Amino acid sequence: MTPERTRRLRFALISILVVAALVGTVLALRSMIPVEQATTEPSLQTQAEDPSNSKALQPSTTPTETPSTEGKTAPVILQPESGRLAFEAEGKKLGEETYQLERLPTGEYQLRSQGFFSFDVLASKVKFEYTQDIRVDPNLRPLSFSLDFQGPLGLGNRSTTVQIQAEKALISSGEKQREITVPQGRFVLLGMFSSYALATKLVTSGDRVRLAAFIAAGFDGPESQPQETQPLLFPLEVVRVPLLRLKDRATGNEVEVEQYLLRLGEREGEDPSRDDAEGPRLLAVNGEFWGLMSTLQDASKGSFRVYRIDLFPQGFDIVPSK
């Protein structure tokens, strides 16, 4: 076998491994907890508040269901918001993503981000880069989504776009296309991890919020199975749980952050407001995204953490409750 052919085969293998690891990380939220396909169209129930309201730091011990959005005002993003995320699995850093969320002259909002995943494969460090663009209307309802991956030497490149008009979302990935029905009102579009900066504006608006979650980064076109067996739209319940205290490893300073339990799919017999309820937790302060992590009770499935490295340069530790 010639050196050139060996090199090509090696990079082909690297590309396959990188894409597999990337997809697994992107869908980490779905793998943390059981997901069941909804039997009916997920209802959209949320309440809008000004994210600058400082009372959001008050803990809630008796969550109440948030009323419908009809007639409510959308959360207002008063100034551009930016951040830099790091993501880790089992304590090992996988990559970073920088983002900026800003209001456009049209009144719409746009979130742009760029990031990378880095892996050790065959004794080599492989870097896989991506860019993401999300636009929402003044009421924070998604309008469009694009995600472009770039692999080493162009291997494993992949692009996904979504265009939303009325109740239809046209999804394209390469030459594959699919159309799905989306809710009339607001819903959460989940792509790469910075998409939670935009989702936070909706899901932290009440003690308990129920709405639809569109897993936009999970589409890879129709398969041989019926499309309905591979749903992209799930009911999402977000419940405020007691505050969490974090300790900055760099300075030793402690800070209290809001903590929200995320549950995809319908599950019975479990009170999501319990401290030990399983599921990924979203961390926020006054409507601003600070992180995403698996629960301590979920250790058997592996630890996973996304956090604002611009706020915690060396990461953070959870301060045990007294």
Side-chain angles (χ1 to χ4, degrees):
M1 185 178 294
T2 65
E4 176 65 19
R5 181 173 176 80
T6 300
R7 185 184 64 83
R8 290 182 179 180
L9 288 175
R10 182 182 181 185
F11 274 105
L13 176 60
I14 290 173
S15 178
I16 292 171
L17 293 175
V18 167
V19 171
L22 177 62
V23 171
T25 305
V26 170
L27 302 182
L29 177 63
R30 293 172 62 182
S31 65
M32 288 179 189
I33 54 178
V35 176
E36 300 178 10
Q37 182 177 357
T39 55
T40 59
E41 183 73 18
S43 61
L44 176 65
Q45 293 181 328
T46 186
Q47 181 183 14
E49 292 182 353
D50 186 341
S52 64
N53 193 341
S54 61
K55 70 179 182 180
L57 282 176
Q58 297 299 319
S60 172
T61 56
T62 55
T64 56
E65 186 168 322
T66 306
S68 169
T69 55
E70 295 301 326
K72 301 293 182 179
T73 303
V76 176
I77 303 170
L78 300 177
Q79 58 185 359
E81 180 179 312
S82 61
R84 179 170 158 234
L85 302 175
F87 16 97
E88 301 175 348
E90 300 291 347
K92 184 176 181 180
K93 186 175 178 181
L94 298 179
E96 294 185 9
E97 182 176 2
T98 59
Y99 67 89
Q100 177 159 319
L101 174 61
E102 60 183 342
R103 189 169 189 174
L104 302 176
T106 59
E108 299 170 353
Y109 296 97
Q110 181 178 39
L111 185 144
R112 292 179 177 176
S113 73
Q114 57 184 11
F116 68 88
F117 288 83
S118 183
F119 304 94
D120 291 321
V121 180
L122 301 179
S124 299
K125 181 73 72 173
V126 178
K127 194 174 183 180
F128 200 81
E129 299 178 331
Y130 61 88
T131 59
Q132 176 181 246
D133 189 305
I134 302 175
R135 291 200 182 200
V136 298
D137 69 14
N139 291 318
L140 304 188
R141 186 178 190 272
L143 296 172
S144 65
F145 167 81
S146 66
L147 181 61
D148 294 304
F149 296 120
Q150 294 183 346
L153 298 182
L155 296 173
N157 288 3
R158 175 186 169 195
S159 296
T160 299
T161 62
V162 178
Q163 294 294 328
I164 300 170
Q165 292 185 348
E167 298 178 49
K168 297 295 182 181
L170 178 61
I171 314 162
S172 301
S173 181
E175 298 181 354
K176 303 176 181 179
Q177 290 191 340
R178 177 176 174 183
E179 186 178 271
I180 66 171
T181 300
V182 294
Q184 276 188 323
R186 294 179 219 150
F187 57 94
V188 173
L189 187 150
L190 299 179
M192 301 303 288
F193 298 118
S194 65
S195 65
Y196 286 86
L198 185 54
T200 298
K201 307 301 179 185
L202 290 176
V203 303
T204 62
S205 59
D207 290 338
R208 176 174 295 187
V209 176
R210 291 189 177 95
L211 66 168
F214 176 24
I215 313 295
F219 174 70
D220 197 24
E223 304 290 344
S224 57
Q225 301 173 341
Q227 289 188 8
E228 60 269 16
T229 65
Q230 300 175 337
L232 299 176
L233 200 67
F234 298 91
L236 172 66
E237 182 179 41
V238 182
V239 180
R240 187 197 299 260
V241 293
L243 297 176
L244 188 67
R245 182 170 287 276
L246 307 180
K247 182 177 182 179
D248 186 349
R249 291 174 181 168
T251 64
N253 295 335
E254 296 184 5
V255 60
E256 279 190 326
V257 300
E258 305 156 40
Q259 188 179 195
Y260 298 85
L261 174 68
L262 306 182
R263 301 203 316 169
L264 279 175
E266 302 287 353
R267 289 192 291 168
E268 301 294 337
E270 179 184 354
D271 181 2
S273 63
R274 286 173 35 186
D275 289 350
D276 61 348
E278 290 193 5
R281 307 289 179 98
L282 183 146
L283 308 180
V285 173
N286 293 333
E288 183 175 354
F289 177 62
W290 276 38
L292 180 73
M293 66 180 188
S294 57
T295 61
L296 297 178
Q297 292 77 19
D298 211 23
S300 62
K301 299 180 182 179
S303 64
F304 183 80
R305 180 178 291 187
V306 178
Y307 62 92
R308 291 276 300 274
I309 196 172
D310 56 317
L311 301 177
F312 301 102
Q314 297 179 22
F316 62 85
D317 296 310
I318 298 174
V319 179
S321 57
K322 297 181 181 179

